[in-house]
Amino acid sequence: MSQASTTNPAADAARRAEIDRSLRHPVMFFFTSGAAWLAVAILLGIISSAKVHSPGFLDGVSWLTYGRVQPAHMSALIYGWGCQAAFGMLVWLMARLSRQECRAAGLILTAGHVWNLAVSIGLFGILAGKGTGIPWMEFPSFAWVPMLVSYAAIAIWSMIQFKVRPEGHVFISQWYNLAALIWFPWVFVTAHFLIHGFSGSPLMAAAVNAWYRSALVFLFFIPTALAAAYYLIPKVTGRPVYSYTLSLLGFWSLAVIAPWAGMQKLAGAPIPAFLPYLGAAATILIAIPAIAVSVNLLKTAASAWDTVVNSPSLRFTVAGVIGLLVLGFAATFLNVPAILPLSQFSLSGYGFDILALYGVFSFIAFGMIYFVVPRITRREWLSSRLIKIHFFLSVYGLLTVALVAVFGGIMQGQAQEDYKQPWENAMEYAYPYAVASTLSWCFLLLSNVFFFLHLALMWLRLGRRSSHPTLLGHAHHDDLHDATHGPEGDIDNAGPGSAPAHSH
Amino acid sequence: MIDPSKPDLEESVNVTEAHDRVVRGAAAAARENKIKENGAEPVSLTVMVLCAIPLLSAGWALGNAGTLFSYKDTVKDGYVRVIPADDEAGGPPPKDALAAYMAKGAKLYSKCSGCHGPDGKGDGNAYPSLAGSAWVTGETERLAMVILNGLSGPASTGKTYGVMPAQGAGMKGEDLGALMTYIRNSFGNKTGDVVTKQMGAAGLEISNARPKVGTAVTGEELAADHTKNLPGDALDPKTMLDPITLEPAEAK
């Protein structure tokens, strides 16, 4: 096979460029429309969060009542942003690592439009009051079929690419990538089929739904993020992954543990009594893959810390990996038997979900987007300042949302347990945390509006024409100007050796 | 990359040309590092100690799980806390008897409000009004028989409405007493007395002892057999009761 890696760097680079080019339209579509959905999701998040502490906010607008806007917020976040960003990442990464051009870009793009249409209709359905009332499965029940079909049309090509990859090494990223591609339909079909397809016990439907919420995070979003992190960190730093043993431990422990997790959300409900505790134990054990993977990746990144600080991709990715470590500890802390009754009916569950979806998955997705977009558009990011704003506002916003929800939730749970006090007391405990979480959603909105604008400019091919990457170091730091890249700000140069646009 | 017309041409890429093109057009792809072979560092003691924390915690959670894979045990003892009986602040504060019975009756009335209306006025056509009704505010045994067995034929005003179905299924003495106390003191009715749960229990007994048990009562039967009050000691409406058990509570 001519695609097998050659020893010729120029031919390799040309091959990479061809693969990138073949995926330009679908991947750019997934990232851009995902980013737009993210902004919508955060806007809905602000509204729903504001209603927690100020019930009078927008109370005259029936389609923005809490019961609609909260599920719309989560659905836009998960299916509008999360899944689409994940598809873009998985499709691009699998093509690159299997060294195959995409031969079905048009079909993937069409399927992406169908997915978007299903998400839009579903979201209007929720806001119009036609939601199913089943968390994370709120879209009117017909929506899951077109979503599944378009998923199949998107994902099948990556599986084929893996099948026909050049022989030899399978990258760690590919383990996670293929796992995510296979686990998503398993989790999605199981939950939707059991809940929408059968009229079984509604109690078990609730249990299946609890499992689905956990499985979607741990068997799709986390593996997708880890596929990207295991690619980006060794790739950008140029260092080998720290320990192959830890990689194996991290992957297989996740694969064995994660499917058991989830039903702890129904502790105390009259389902078979061992299920919630089994779910709690499995969720606690999620800390093991989290520790193995994050230690492995952080050790790898720490060997080239300057690169981590300067590269937008790595900054976001490493932040996401640190988020994974925090997620592991939160999984343990929130689900031990002493804490479970406190976290079960409070803000904590939401905080944990946001930590996983934003703190881990989205950060790594941003890292991947900052890496991939210059390659497929052949333009460099316009402004390191916009990237820095995106990074810092995201970090501050996320820290506040997640920590406030997790620990505020524990305070709230403790107040709820105090049966001698009226229920309002528990709400008063949660009040300052709810206000803080609205404020931090505002930070996140601001941060992602900048991100979306930046990405949209790149999508319009208005990025910098330069061979110099946009780095985050000090603008005129001499160390950044090496022989390969020329001085920063060297707009529209023709690569090394051409006359500089201005003297530095 | 292989030109099909030149299957034997080994070097399909003109290196210089490709390099220029790549560097110009795809600078980002050109400057990439290759991914290196994986490292082989051993798993450190720190990682193992860190992993021991979730392992121990998971064992703690599993220890609470009872019999694993037992699909018959659906209730976990002790998860829902039982408030101890001797807890000084346990239970809600006591209320006076009329209010306690009224609160309980108001909840039960939701079953009646479908026909008699939330305001107890009925619709004047198929459903009679409870407000100001002589049978509601009058003798308690007559009212109890109507509630428990339903009514056919003319009502207290002499007008014949539809047939009222029996409502007694599953009712206990305290339910009947609370419901009667509620309708006798709502919608403008104001008898001011309490139909106790003992009286309610007596009403159930009388109803079960009727010769035509299981059929709706009629005006004639009520006039002949039931125009009296239910037996039982009257309760001062100011007595302080526990609102859950409806037993007298000691004043604090």
Side-chain angles (χ1 to χ4, degrees), chain B residues 2 8 36 40-41 61-62 66 75 81 86 95 107 118 120 144 153 175 183 202-204 208 240:
Chain B
I2 289 184
D8 294 324
K36 295 235 174 35
E41 298 287 333
L62 271 187
V75 177
R81 182 179 39 211
D86 57 349
K95 281 185 186 170
K107 281 187 197 151
D175 298 332
I183 60 175
L204 288 171
N208 287 333
M240 297 306 274

Side-chain angles (χ1 to χ4, degrees), chain A residues 44-66:
Chain A
L44 294 169
I46 294 176
I47 298 173
S48 82
S49 172
K51 280 166 183 281
V52 173
H53 52 80
S54 314
F57 180 63
L58 290 177
D59 60 353
V61 193
S62 66
W63 53 276
L64 286 180
T65 44
Y66 185 79

Side-chain angles (χ1 to χ4, degrees), chain A residues 6 8 12-14 16-18 96 172 231 235-236 238 240-244 267-274 277-278 281 284-285 287-288 291 295 332 336-338 341 344 375 378 380 417 419-420 467 469 485 496, chain B residues 1-2 13 15 19 22-41 43 47 50-51 54-55 57-58 60-62 64-65 67-71 73-74 76 79 81 83-84 87 89:
Chain A
T6 70
N8 179 343
D12 266 358
R16 289 197 290 263
E18 275 165 26
R96 264 300 192 89
I172 299 167
Y231 175 76
K235 181 83 176 169
V236 179
V241 170
Y242 174 71
S243 161
Y244 190 69
I271 60 172
F274 73 91
Y277 290 91
L278 199 58
I284 291 169
L285 287 176
I288 290 180
I291 291 169
V295 166
T332 301
V336 291
Q344 194 181 3
R375 282 156 178 77
R378 302 193 167 191
E380 299 297 337
E417 284 286 292
Y419 59 89
K420 294 175 189 175
S467 57
H485 295 129
Chain B
M1 292 301 288
I2 289 184
V13 179
V15 176
H19 182 76
V22 164
V23 165
R24 226 176 269 127
R31 65 171 176 258
E32 275 178 30
N33 298 309
K34 286 205 157 196
I35 293 184
K36 295 235 174 35
E37 274 299 313
N38 291 306
E41 298 287 333
V43 179
V47 170
L50 272 181
C51 288
L55 270 175
S57 312
W60 181 13
L62 271 187
N64 277 285
T67 318
L68 283 180
F69 303 102
S70 153
Y71 290 91
D73 307 328
T74 53
K76 163 84 179 152
Y79 188 78
R81 182 179 39 211
I83 296 174
D87 189 355

Side-chain angles (χ1 to χ4, degrees), chain B residues 157-194:
Chain B
T157 52
K159 183 177 171 192
T160 302
Y161 299 84
V163 176
M164 170 175 164
Q167 305 294 330
M171 247 190 200
K172 288 185 297 206
E174 65 177 78
D175 298 332
L176 182 62
L179 182 61
M180 288 172 69
T181 309
Y182 178 71
I183 60 175
R184 285 161 64 83
N185 292 287
S186 307
F187 327 123
N189 299 341
K190 215 162 192 59
T191 58
D193 60 352
V194 171

Side-chain angles (χ1 to χ4, degrees), chain B residues 145-146 148-153 163-166 210 212-219 221-222:
Chain B
M145 290 309 117
V146 174
L148 292 174
N149 299 292
L151 176 72
S152 66
V163 176
M164 170 175 164
R210 278 175 62 220
K212 286 187 284 183
V213 65
T215 57
V217 295
T218 59
E221 188 192 339
L222 292 175

Side-chain angles (χ1 to χ4, degrees), chain A residues 129-145:
Chain A
K130 306 287 180 203
T132 60
I134 306 168
W136 294 31
M137 296 167 64
E138 298 271 357
F139 288 156
S141 55
F142 61 82
W144 72 278
V145 181

